[in-house]
Each structure stands twice: as structure tokens, then as C-alpha cells.
PDB file of all heavy atoms in Angstrom:
ATOM      1  N   GLU A  20       9.996  10.543   9.963  1.00 98.00           N
ATOM      2  CA  GLU A  20       8.510  10.540   9.997  1.00 98.00           C
ATOM      3  C   GLU A  20       7.904  10.245   8.619  1.00 98.00           C
ATOM      4  O   GLU A  20       6.712  10.206   8.502  1.00 98.00           O
ATOM      5  CB  GLU A  20       8.047  11.915  10.491  1.00 98.00           C
ATOM      6  CG  GLU A  20       8.492  12.230  11.868  1.00 98.00           C
ATOM      7  CD  GLU A  20       8.099  13.646  12.344  1.00 98.00           C
ATOM      8  OE1 GLU A  20       7.596  14.386  11.524  1.00 98.00           O
ATOM      9  OE2 GLU A  20       8.254  13.889  13.482  1.00 98.00           O
ATOM     10  N   ARG A  21       8.746  10.086   7.551  1.00 98.00           N
ATOM     11  CA  ARG A  21       8.182   9.851   6.233  1.00 98.00           C
ATOM     12  C   ARG A  21       8.921   8.741   5.526  1.00 98.00           C
ATOM     13  O   ARG A  21      10.161   8.682   5.546  1.00 98.00           O
ATOM     14  CB  ARG A  21       8.399  11.209   5.320  1.00 98.00           C
ATOM     15  CG  ARG A  21       7.606  12.359   5.834  1.00 98.00           C
ATOM     16  CD  ARG A  21       8.133  13.607   5.071  1.00 98.00           C
ATOM     17  NE  ARG A  21       7.678  14.824   5.775  1.00 98.00           N
ATOM     18  CZ  ARG A  21       8.247  15.351   6.824  1.00 98.00           C
ATOM     19  NH1 ARG A  21       9.356  14.738   7.392  1.00 98.00           N
ATOM     20  NH2 ARG A  21       7.765  16.454   7.392  1.00 98.00           N
ATOM     21  N   LEU A  22       8.153   7.856   4.915  1.00 99.00           N
ATOM     22  CA  LEU A  22       8.703   6.763   4.161  1.00 99.00           C
ATOM     23  C   LEU A  22       8.107   6.708   2.816  1.00 99.00           C
ATOM     24  O   LEU A  22       6.884   6.965   2.615  1.00 99.00           O
ATOM     25  CB  LEU A  22       8.428   5.412   4.909  1.00 99.00           C
ATOM     26  CG  LEU A  22       9.025   5.198   6.277  1.00 99.00           C
ATOM     27  CD1 LEU A  22       8.528   3.885   6.894  1.00 99.00           C
ATOM     28  CD2 LEU A  22      10.578   5.189   6.124  1.00 99.00           C
ATOM     29  N   HIS A  23       8.923   6.357   1.819  1.00 98.00           N
ATOM     30  CA  HIS A  23       8.435   6.303   0.439  1.00 98.00           C
ATOM     31  C   HIS A  23       8.326   4.861  -0.009  1.00 98.00           C
ATOM     32  O   HIS A  23       9.343   4.035   0.154  1.00 98.00           O
ATOM     33  CB  HIS A  23       9.400   7.076  -0.456  1.00 98.00           C
ATOM     34  CG  HIS A  23       9.177   6.877  -1.915  1.00 98.00           C
ATOM     35  ND1 HIS A  23      10.191   6.751  -2.838  1.00 98.00           N
ATOM     36  CD2 HIS A  23       7.992   6.728  -2.616  1.00 98.00           C
ATOM     37  CE1 HIS A  23       9.655   6.647  -4.019  1.00 98.00           C
ATOM     38  NE2 HIS A  23       8.360   6.586  -3.943  1.00 98.00           N
ATOM     39  N   ALA A  24       7.215   4.425  -0.529  1.00 98.00           N
ATOM     40  CA  ALA A  24       6.962   3.137  -1.074  1.00 98.00           C
ATOM     41  C   ALA A  24       7.022   3.179  -2.592  1.00 98.00           C
ATOM     42  O   ALA A  24       6.142   3.832  -3.246  1.00 98.00           O
ATOM     43  CB  ALA A  24       5.685   2.537  -0.626  1.00 98.00           C
ATOM     44  N   MET A  25       8.025   2.579  -3.249  1.00 98.00           N
ATOM     45  CA  MET A  25       8.150   2.579  -4.651  1.00 98.00           C
ATOM     46  C   MET A  25       7.042   1.676  -5.211  1.00 98.00           C
ATOM     47  O   MET A  25       6.776   0.571  -4.664  1.00 98.00           O
ATOM     48  CB  MET A  25       9.487   2.157  -5.078  1.00 98.00           C
ATOM     49  CG  MET A  25      10.576   3.170  -4.675  1.00 98.00           C
ATOM     50  SD  MET A  25      12.230   2.722  -5.462  1.00 98.00           S
ATOM     51  CE  MET A  25      11.911   3.269  -7.180  1.00 98.00           C
ATOM     52  N   ALA A  26       6.457   1.992  -6.338  1.00 98.00           N
ATOM     53  CA  ALA A  26       5.341   1.302  -6.927  1.00 98.00           C
ATOM     54  C   ALA A  26       5.828  -0.023  -7.581  1.00 98.00           C
ATOM     55  O   ALA A  26       5.204  -1.056  -7.526  1.00 98.00           O
ATOM     56  CB  ALA A  26       4.623   2.126  -7.946  1.00 98.00           C
ATOM     57  N   GLY A  27       6.958   0.113  -8.308  1.00 98.00           N
ATOM     58  CA  GLY A  27       7.435  -1.022  -9.129  1.00 98.00           C
ATOM     59  C   GLY A  27       7.139  -0.881 -10.576  1.00 98.00           C
ATOM     60  O   GLY A  27       6.392   0.014 -11.028  1.00 98.00           O
ATOM     61  N   LEU A  28       7.811  -1.742 -11.401  1.00 98.00           N
ATOM     62  CA  LEU A  28       7.583  -1.739 -12.828  1.00 98.00           C
ATOM     63  C   LEU A  28       6.354  -2.590 -13.205  1.00 98.00           C
ATOM     64  O   LEU A  28       6.201  -3.626 -12.565  1.00 98.00           O
ATOM     65  CB  LEU A  28       8.835  -2.304 -13.535  1.00 98.00           C
ATOM     66  CG  LEU A  28      10.181  -1.681 -13.194  1.00 98.00           C
ATOM     67  CD1 LEU A  28      11.303  -2.319 -13.994  1.00 98.00           C
ATOM     68  CD2 LEU A  28      10.191  -0.165 -13.440  1.00 98.00           C
ATOM     69  N   LEU A  29       5.613  -2.119 -14.146  1.00 98.00           N
ATOM     70  CA  LEU A  29       4.424  -2.841 -14.600  1.00 98.00           C
ATOM     71  C   LEU A  29       4.910  -4.193 -15.129  1.00 98.00           C
ATOM     72  O   LEU A  29       5.665  -4.336 -16.096  1.00 98.00           O
ATOM     73  CB  LEU A  29       3.707  -2.099 -15.684  1.00 98.00           C
ATOM     74  CG  LEU A  29       2.477  -2.799 -16.249  1.00 98.00           C
ATOM     75  CD1 LEU A  29       1.400  -2.922 -15.135  1.00 98.00           C
ATOM     76  CD2 LEU A  29       1.918  -1.975 -17.407  1.00 98.00           C
ATOM     77  N   PRO A  30       4.438  -5.333 -14.527  1.00 97.00           N
ATOM     78  CA  PRO A  30       4.866  -6.686 -14.983  1.00 97.00           C
ATOM     79  C   PRO A  30       4.460  -6.949 -16.416  1.00 97.00           C
ATOM     80  O   PRO A  30       3.399  -6.544 -16.878  1.00 97.00           O
ATOM     81  CB  PRO A  30       4.141  -7.622 -14.031  1.00 97.00           C
ATOM     82  CG  PRO A  30       3.856  -6.815 -12.777  1.00 97.00           C
ATOM     83  CD  PRO A  30       3.602  -5.444 -13.244  1.00 97.00           C
ATOM     84  N   ALA A  31       5.339  -7.571 -17.130  1.00 95.00           N
ATOM     85  CA  ALA A  31       5.066  -7.890 -18.528  1.00 95.00           C
ATOM     86  C   ALA A  31       3.758  -8.698 -18.649  1.00 95.00           C
ATOM     87  O   ALA A  31       3.520  -9.692 -17.891  1.00 95.00           O
ATOM     88  CB  ALA A  31       6.191  -8.691 -19.194  1.00 95.00           C
ATOM     89  N   GLY A  32       2.892  -8.309 -19.553  1.00 96.00           N
ATOM     90  CA  GLY A  32       1.636  -8.998 -19.812  1.00 96.00           C
ATOM     91  C   GLY A  32       0.533  -8.713 -18.817  1.00 96.00           C
ATOM     92  O   GLY A  32      -0.597  -9.285 -18.969  1.00 96.00           O
ATOM     93  N   MET A  33       0.790  -7.884 -17.819  1.00 97.00           N
ATOM     94  CA  MET A  33      -0.259  -7.568 -16.825  1.00 97.00           C
ATOM     95  C   MET A  33      -0.975  -6.257 -17.242  1.00 97.00           C
ATOM     96  O   MET A  33      -0.325  -5.280 -17.591  1.00 97.00           O
ATOM     97  CB  MET A  33       0.438  -7.409 -15.441  1.00 97.00           C
ATOM     98  CG  MET A  33      -0.598  -7.205 -14.341  1.00 97.00           C
ATOM     99  SD  MET A  33       0.270  -7.129 -12.726  1.00 97.00           S
ATOM    100  CE  MET A  33      -1.111  -7.183 -11.573  1.00 97.00           C
ATOM    101  N   GLU A  34      -2.311  -6.268 -17.166  1.00 97.00           N
ATOM    102  CA  GLU A  34      -3.026  -5.089 -17.472  1.00 97.00           C
ATOM    103  C   GLU A  34      -2.736  -4.050 -16.422  1.00 97.00           C
ATOM    104  O   GLU A  34      -2.716  -4.321 -15.202  1.00 97.00           O
ATOM    105  CB  GLU A  34      -4.529  -5.411 -17.528  1.00 97.00           C
ATOM    106  CG  GLU A  34      -4.957  -6.231 -18.697  1.00 97.00           C
ATOM    107  CD  GLU A  34      -6.435  -6.475 -18.674  1.00 97.00           C
ATOM    108  OE1 GLU A  34      -7.138  -5.908 -17.800  1.00 97.00           O
ATOM    109  OE2 GLU A  34      -6.928  -7.220 -19.540  1.00 97.00           O
ATOM    110  N   ARG A  35      -2.577  -2.809 -16.896  1.00 97.00           N
ATOM    111  CA  ARG A  35      -2.229  -1.707 -15.958  1.00 97.00           C
ATOM    112  C   ARG A  35      -3.240  -1.517 -14.838  1.00 97.00           C
ATOM    113  O   ARG A  35      -2.948  -1.290 -13.693  1.00 97.00           O
ATOM    114  CB  ARG A  35      -2.030  -0.412 -16.700  1.00 97.00           C
ATOM    115  CG  ARG A  35      -1.458   0.718 -15.850  1.00 97.00           C
ATOM    116  CD  ARG A  35      -1.007   1.924 -16.670  1.00 97.00           C
ATOM    117  NE  ARG A  35      -0.394   2.905 -15.806  1.00 97.00           N
ATOM    118  CZ  ARG A  35      -1.035   3.870 -15.152  1.00 97.00           C
ATOM    119  NH1 ARG A  35      -2.371   3.954 -15.321  1.00 97.00           N
ATOM    120  NH2 ARG A  35      -0.407   4.723 -14.363  1.00 97.00           N
ATOM    121  N   GLU A  36      -4.569  -1.633 -15.195  1.00 97.00           N
ATOM    122  CA  GLU A  36      -5.590  -1.447 -14.161  1.00 97.00           C
ATOM    123  C   GLU A  36      -5.585  -2.575 -13.094  1.00 97.00           C
ATOM    124  O   GLU A  36      -5.778  -2.246 -11.929  1.00 97.00           O
ATOM    125  CB  GLU A  36      -6.999  -1.479 -14.861  1.00 97.00           C
ATOM    126  CG  GLU A  36      -7.330  -0.161 -15.557  1.00 97.00           C
ATOM    127  CD  GLU A  36      -7.152   1.030 -14.644  1.00 97.00           C
ATOM    128  OE1 GLU A  36      -7.701   0.987 -13.537  1.00 97.00           O
ATOM    129  OE2 GLU A  36      -6.531   2.026 -15.103  1.00 97.00           O
ATOM    130  N   ARG A  37      -5.194  -3.746 -13.506  1.00 98.00           N
ATOM    131  CA  ARG A  37      -5.069  -4.797 -12.485  1.00 98.00           C
ATOM    132  C   ARG A  37      -3.844  -4.511 -11.552  1.00 98.00           C
ATOM    133  O   ARG A  37      -3.953  -4.671 -10.345  1.00 98.00           O
ATOM    134  CB  ARG A  37      -4.822  -6.134 -13.179  1.00 98.00           C
ATOM    135  CG  ARG A  37      -4.741  -7.325 -12.213  1.00 98.00           C
ATOM    136  CD  ARG A  37      -4.646  -8.630 -12.963  1.00 98.00           C
ATOM    137  NE  ARG A  37      -4.098  -9.718 -12.074  1.00 98.00           N
ATOM    138  CZ  ARG A  37      -3.128 -10.566 -12.373  1.00 98.00           C
ATOM    139  NH1 ARG A  37      -2.574 -10.494 -13.554  1.00 98.00           N
ATOM    140  NH2 ARG A  37      -2.771 -11.447 -11.455  1.00 98.00           N
ATOM    141  N   ALA A  38      -2.735  -4.023 -12.139  1.00 98.00           N
ATOM    142  CA  ALA A  38      -1.579  -3.652 -11.318  1.00 98.00           C
ATOM    143  C   ALA A  38      -1.941  -2.494 -10.386  1.00 98.00           C
ATOM    144  O   ALA A  38      -1.536  -2.439  -9.245  1.00 98.00           O
ATOM    145  CB  ALA A  38      -0.433  -3.248 -12.205  1.00 98.00           C
ATOM    146  N   LEU A  39      -2.708  -1.500 -10.907  1.00 98.00           N
ATOM    147  CA  LEU A  39      -3.137  -0.424 -10.089  1.00 98.00           C
ATOM    148  C   LEU A  39      -4.022  -0.809  -8.886  1.00 98.00           C
ATOM    149  O   LEU A  39      -3.989  -0.311  -7.794  1.00 98.00           O
ATOM    150  CB  LEU A  39      -3.870   0.642 -10.924  1.00 98.00           C
ATOM    151  CG  LEU A  39      -2.883   1.564 -11.766  1.00 98.00           C
ATOM    152  CD1 LEU A  39      -3.782   2.316 -12.755  1.00 98.00           C
ATOM    153  CD2 LEU A  39      -2.062   2.485 -10.911  1.00 98.00           C
ATOM    154  N   ASP A  40      -4.888  -1.837  -9.164  1.00 98.00           N
ATOM    155  CA  ASP A  40      -5.735  -2.258  -8.082  1.00 98.00           C
ATOM    156  C   ASP A  40      -4.918  -2.897  -6.981  1.00 98.00           C
ATOM    157  O   ASP A  40      -5.146  -2.642  -5.811  1.00 98.00           O
ATOM    158  CB  ASP A  40      -6.674  -3.317  -8.604  1.00 98.00           C
ATOM    159  CG  ASP A  40      -7.862  -2.721  -9.435  1.00 98.00           C
ATOM    160  OD1 ASP A  40      -8.053  -1.540  -9.314  1.00 98.00           O
ATOM    161  OD2 ASP A  40      -8.516  -3.468 -10.194  1.00 98.00           O
ATOM    162  N   LEU A  41      -3.944  -3.725  -7.330  1.00 98.00           N
ATOM    163  CA  LEU A  41      -3.048  -4.337  -6.322  1.00 98.00           C
ATOM    164  C   LEU A  41      -2.236  -3.287  -5.641  1.00 98.00           C
ATOM    165  O   LEU A  41      -2.101  -3.305  -4.391  1.00 98.00           O
ATOM    166  CB  LEU A  41      -2.151  -5.320  -7.009  1.00 98.00           C
ATOM    167  CG  LEU A  41      -1.030  -5.968  -6.174  1.00 98.00           C
ATOM    168  CD1 LEU A  41      -1.668  -6.688  -4.970  1.00 98.00           C
ATOM    169  CD2 LEU A  41      -0.184  -6.902  -6.997  1.00 98.00           C
ATOM    170  N   TYR A  42      -1.738  -2.307  -6.417  1.00 98.00           N
ATOM    171  CA  TYR A  42      -0.972  -1.233  -5.792  1.00 98.00           C
ATOM    172  C   TYR A  42      -1.819  -0.415  -4.771  1.00 98.00           C
ATOM    173  O   TYR A  42      -1.296  -0.170  -3.668  1.00 98.00           O
ATOM    174  CB  TYR A  42      -0.557  -0.251  -6.973  1.00 98.00           C
ATOM    175  CG  TYR A  42       0.136   0.974  -6.562  1.00 98.00           C
ATOM    176  CD1 TYR A  42       1.474   0.873  -5.959  1.00 98.00           C
ATOM    177  CD2 TYR A  42      -0.337   2.242  -6.721  1.00 98.00           C
ATOM    178  CE1 TYR A  42       2.155   2.016  -5.612  1.00 98.00           C
ATOM    179  CE2 TYR A  42       0.297   3.359  -6.379  1.00 98.00           C
ATOM    180  CZ  TYR A  42       1.523   3.235  -5.765  1.00 98.00           C
ATOM    181  OH  TYR A  42       2.229   4.396  -5.423  1.00 98.00           O
ATOM    182  N   ARG A  43      -3.049  -0.041  -5.080  1.00 98.00           N
ATOM    183  CA  ARG A  43      -3.863   0.615  -4.204  1.00 98.00           C
ATOM    184  C   ARG A  43      -4.055  -0.161  -2.878  1.00 98.00           C
ATOM    185  O   ARG A  43      -4.001   0.417  -1.750  1.00 98.00           O
ATOM    186  CB  ARG A  43      -5.229   0.940  -4.770  1.00 98.00           C
ATOM    187  CG  ARG A  43      -5.212   1.959  -5.924  1.00 98.00           C
ATOM    188  CD  ARG A  43      -6.669   2.243  -6.338  1.00 98.00           C
ATOM    189  NE  ARG A  43      -6.673   2.993  -7.609  1.00 98.00           N
ATOM    190  CZ  ARG A  43      -6.835   2.401  -8.826  1.00 98.00           C
ATOM    191  NH1 ARG A  43      -6.962   1.071  -8.926  1.00 98.00           N
ATOM    192  NH2 ARG A  43      -6.880   3.179  -9.914  1.00 98.00           N
ATOM    193  N   ARG A  44      -4.276  -1.455  -2.958  1.00 98.00           N
ATOM    194  CA  ARG A  44      -4.406  -2.258  -1.775  1.00 98.00           C
ATOM    195  C   ARG A  44      -3.213  -2.280  -0.917  1.00 98.00           C
ATOM    196  O   ARG A  44      -3.333  -2.155   0.322  1.00 98.00           O
ATOM    197  CB  ARG A  44      -4.873  -3.722  -2.197  1.00 98.00           C
ATOM    198  CG  ARG A  44      -6.289  -3.843  -2.778  1.00 98.00           C
ATOM    199  CD  ARG A  44      -6.740  -5.291  -2.765  1.00 98.00           C
ATOM    200  NE  ARG A  44      -5.891  -6.175  -3.595  1.00 98.00           N
ATOM    201  CZ  ARG A  44      -6.046  -6.364  -4.867  1.00 98.00           C
ATOM    202  NH1 ARG A  44      -7.020  -5.741  -5.515  1.00 98.00           N
ATOM    203  NH2 ARG A  44      -5.210  -7.189  -5.512  1.00 98.00           N
ATOM    204  N   ASN A  45      -2.054  -2.477  -1.532  1.00 98.00           N
ATOM    205  CA  ASN A  45      -0.835  -2.547  -0.761  1.00 98.00           C
ATOM    206  C   ASN A  45      -0.525  -1.133  -0.135  1.00 98.00           C
ATOM    207  O   ASN A  45      -0.083  -1.119   1.025  1.00 98.00           O
ATOM    208  CB  ASN A  45       0.338  -2.974  -1.686  1.00 98.00           C
ATOM    209  CG  ASN A  45       0.450  -4.480  -1.850  1.00 98.00           C
ATOM    210  OD1 ASN A  45       0.083  -5.178  -0.969  1.00 98.00           O
ATOM    211  ND2 ASN A  45       0.859  -4.865  -3.012  1.00 98.00           N
ATOM    212  N   ILE A  46      -0.755  -0.074  -0.900  1.00 98.00           N
ATOM    213  CA  ILE A  46      -0.388   1.260  -0.402  1.00 98.00           C
ATOM    214  C   ILE A  46      -1.398   1.603   0.709  1.00 98.00           C
ATOM    215  O   ILE A  46      -0.976   2.153   1.759  1.00 98.00           O
ATOM    216  CB  ILE A  46      -0.493   2.223  -1.533  1.00 98.00           C
ATOM    217  CG1 ILE A  46       0.663   2.066  -2.509  1.00 98.00           C
ATOM    218  CG2 ILE A  46      -0.538   3.719  -0.979  1.00 98.00           C
ATOM    219  CD1 ILE A  46       2.031   2.256  -1.898  1.00 98.00           C
ATOM    220  N   ALA A  47      -2.659   1.282   0.598  1.00 98.00           N
ATOM    221  CA  ALA A  47      -3.619   1.534   1.635  1.00 98.00           C
ATOM    222  C   ALA A  47      -3.219   0.793   2.952  1.00 98.00           C
ATOM    223  O   ALA A  47      -3.330   1.333   4.057  1.00 98.00           O
ATOM    224  CB  ALA A  47      -4.989   1.184   1.216  1.00 98.00           C
ATOM    225  N   SER A  48      -2.887  -0.479   2.783  1.00 98.00           N
ATOM    226  CA  SER A  48      -2.460  -1.243   3.973  1.00 98.00           C
ATOM    227  C   SER A  48      -1.213  -0.662   4.623  1.00 98.00           C
ATOM    228  O   SER A  48      -1.143  -0.548   5.878  1.00 98.00           O
ATOM    229  CB  SER A  48      -2.164  -2.692   3.545  1.00 98.00           C
ATOM    230  OG  SER A  48      -1.679  -3.501   4.576  1.00 98.00           O
ATOM    231  N   ALA A  49      -0.249  -0.271   3.831  1.00 98.00           N
ATOM    232  CA  ALA A  49       0.977   0.306   4.353  1.00 98.00           C
ATOM    233  C   ALA A  49       0.729   1.686   5.075  1.00 98.00           C
ATOM    234  O   ALA A  49       1.280   1.979   6.106  1.00 98.00           O
ATOM    235  CB  ALA A  49       2.076   0.518   3.230  1.00 98.00           C
ATOM    236  N   ALA A  50      -0.129   2.486   4.459  1.00 98.00           N
ATOM    237  CA  ALA A  50      -0.448   3.788   5.046  1.00 98.00           C
ATOM    238  C   ALA A  50      -1.152   3.563   6.394  1.00 98.00           C
ATOM    239  O   ALA A  50      -0.855   4.276   7.339  1.00 98.00           O
ATOM    240  CB  ALA A  50      -1.361   4.642   4.117  1.00 98.00           C
ATOM    241  N   ARG A  51      -2.074   2.632   6.482  1.00 98.00           N
ATOM    242  CA  ARG A  51      -2.666   2.331   7.796  1.00 98.00           C
ATOM    243  C   ARG A  51      -1.681   1.849   8.797  1.00 98.00           C
ATOM    244  O   ARG A  51      -1.797   2.246   9.992  1.00 98.00           O
ATOM    245  CB  ARG A  51      -3.835   1.281   7.571  1.00 98.00           C
ATOM    246  CG  ARG A  51      -5.067   1.889   6.925  1.00 98.00           C
ATOM    247  CD  ARG A  51      -6.264   0.936   6.991  1.00 98.00           C
ATOM    248  NE  ARG A  51      -6.022  -0.237   6.157  1.00 98.00           N
ATOM    249  CZ  ARG A  51      -6.434  -0.351   4.838  1.00 98.00           C
ATOM    250  NH1 ARG A  51      -7.094   0.701   4.292  1.00 98.00           N
ATOM    251  NH2 ARG A  51      -6.206  -1.436   4.176  1.00 98.00           N
ATOM    252  N   ARG A  52      -0.726   1.038   8.360  1.00 98.00           N
ATOM    253  CA  ARG A  52       0.284   0.596   9.314  1.00 98.00           C
ATOM    254  C   ARG A  52       1.113   1.706   9.764  1.00 98.00           C
ATOM    255  O   ARG A  52       1.486   1.844  10.981  1.00 98.00           O
ATOM    256  CB  ARG A  52       1.153  -0.459   8.611  1.00 98.00           C
ATOM    257  CG  ARG A  52       2.249  -1.049   9.523  1.00 98.00           C
ATOM    258  CD  ARG A  52       1.651  -1.860  10.638  1.00 98.00           C
ATOM    259  NE  ARG A  52       2.719  -2.357  11.475  1.00 98.00           N
ATOM    260  CZ  ARG A  52       3.120  -1.632  12.622  1.00 98.00           C
ATOM    261  NH1 ARG A  52       2.560  -0.483  12.924  1.00 98.00           N
ATOM    262  NH2 ARG A  52       4.089  -2.109  13.426  1.00 98.00           N
ATOM    263  N   LEU A  53       1.502   2.643   8.940  1.00 98.00           N
ATOM    264  CA  LEU A  53       2.331   3.814   9.301  1.00 98.00           C
ATOM    265  C   LEU A  53       1.543   4.724  10.168  1.00 98.00           C
ATOM    266  O   LEU A  53       2.120   5.399  11.070  1.00 98.00           O
ATOM    267  CB  LEU A  53       2.809   4.534   8.116  1.00 98.00           C
ATOM    268  CG  LEU A  53       4.221   4.178   7.577  1.00 98.00           C
ATOM    269  CD1 LEU A  53       4.298   2.770   7.166  1.00 98.00           C
ATOM    270  CD2 LEU A  53       4.697   5.091   6.493  1.00 98.00           C
ATOM    271  N   ALA A  54       0.261   4.846   9.979  1.00 98.00           N
ATOM    272  CA  ALA A  54      -0.566   5.718  10.801  1.00 98.00           C
ATOM    273  C   ALA A  54      -0.488   5.262  12.296  1.00 98.00           C
ATOM    274  O   ALA A  54      -0.552   6.071  13.151  1.00 98.00           O
ATOM    275  CB  ALA A  54      -2.047   5.693  10.316  1.00 98.00           C
ATOM    276  N   ASP A  55      -0.368   3.953  12.512  1.00 97.00           N
ATOM    277  CA  ASP A  55      -0.256   3.454  13.876  1.00 97.00           C
ATOM    278  C   ASP A  55       0.975   4.031  14.568  1.00 97.00           C
ATOM    279  O   ASP A  55       1.104   4.096  15.814  1.00 97.00           O
ATOM    280  CB  ASP A  55      -0.147   1.931  13.850  1.00 97.00           C
ATOM    281  CG  ASP A  55      -1.403   1.280  13.422  1.00 97.00           C
ATOM    282  OD1 ASP A  55      -2.451   1.914  13.498  1.00 97.00           O
ATOM    283  OD2 ASP A  55      -1.370   0.100  12.987  1.00 97.00           O
ATOM    284  N   GLU A  56       1.966   4.361  13.712  1.00 97.00           N
ATOM    285  CA  GLU A  56       3.274   4.908  14.280  1.00 97.00           C
ATOM    286  C   GLU A  56       3.350   6.448  14.176  1.00 97.00           C
ATOM    287  O   GLU A  56       4.404   7.009  14.427  1.00 97.00           O
ATOM    288  CB  GLU A  56       4.410   4.298  13.500  1.00 97.00           C
ATOM    289  CG  GLU A  56       4.413   2.760  13.441  1.00 97.00           C
ATOM    290  CD  GLU A  56       4.977   2.142  14.705  1.00 97.00           C
ATOM    291  OE1 GLU A  56       5.697   2.844  15.467  1.00 97.00           O
ATOM    292  OE2 GLU A  56       4.882   0.926  14.911  1.00 97.00           O
ATOM    293  N   GLY A  57       2.288   7.084  13.680  1.00 98.00           N
ATOM    294  CA  GLY A  57       2.327   8.508  13.530  1.00 98.00           C
ATOM    295  C   GLY A  57       3.168   8.987  12.381  1.00 98.00           C
ATOM    296  O   GLY A  57       3.685  10.139  12.420  1.00 98.00           O
ATOM    297  N   MET A  58       3.321   8.128  11.355  1.00 98.00           N
ATOM    298  CA  MET A  58       4.189   8.434  10.201  1.00 98.00           C
ATOM    299  C   MET A  58       3.379   8.647   8.957  1.00 98.00           C
ATOM    300  O   MET A  58       2.236   8.179   8.867  1.00 98.00           O
ATOM    301  CB  MET A  58       5.249   7.365   9.978  1.00 98.00           C
ATOM    302  CG  MET A  58       6.210   7.079  11.150  1.00 98.00           C
ATOM    303  SD  MET A  58       7.355   5.772  10.830  1.00 98.00           S
ATOM    304  CE  MET A  58       8.108   5.511  12.453  1.00 98.00           C
ATOM    305  N   THR A  59       4.033   9.289   7.994  1.00 98.00           N
ATOM    306  CA  THR A  59       3.470   9.572   6.659  1.00 98.00           C
ATOM    307  C   THR A  59       4.032   8.652   5.613  1.00 98.00           C
ATOM    308  O   THR A  59       5.242   8.459   5.550  1.00 98.00           O
ATOM    309  CB  THR A  59       3.699  11.057   6.252  1.00 98.00           C
ATOM    310  OG1 THR A  59       3.043  11.883   7.243  1.00 98.00           O
ATOM    311  CG2 THR A  59       3.090  11.318   4.881  1.00 98.00           C
TER     312      THR A  59
END
């Protein structure tokens, strides 16, 4: 019932805030997909 999504290493030369923005989008999308299956 629980899956862990690893964030990844901050890419060289990439601003952390930009990486966090992408991370939030991917994580939100994954969480919504897991919600369809009743998972966390």
C-alpha cells in the first residue's frame, strides 16, 4: 500500500528551486495516480 519515490541528485548546474519545481510536479502527478489505486 506504500511506494517511495526517490527525488534524485541535483543535476550539475541546475538551480535547486528549478529542480524542486519539477520535483513537486512529478510527485503530485504520482500521488494522484496512486490515489486512484488507494495507495500512499
Side-chain angles (χ1 to χ4, degrees):
E20 298 177 353
R21 298 168 193 82
L22 296 173
H23 170 217
M25 297 189 73
L28 307 180
L29 180 64
M33 187 177 188
E34 292 182 2
R35 188 168 186 273
E36 283 307 313
R37 182 176 162 227
L39 282 170
D40 286 342
L41 175 58
Y42 176 67
R43 291 186 192 95
R44 291 196 298 272
N45 278 328
I46 290 300
S48 175
R51 285 190 290 268
R52 181 67 185 91
L53 264 63
D55 294 339
E56 306 277 345
M58 297 179 190
T59 297

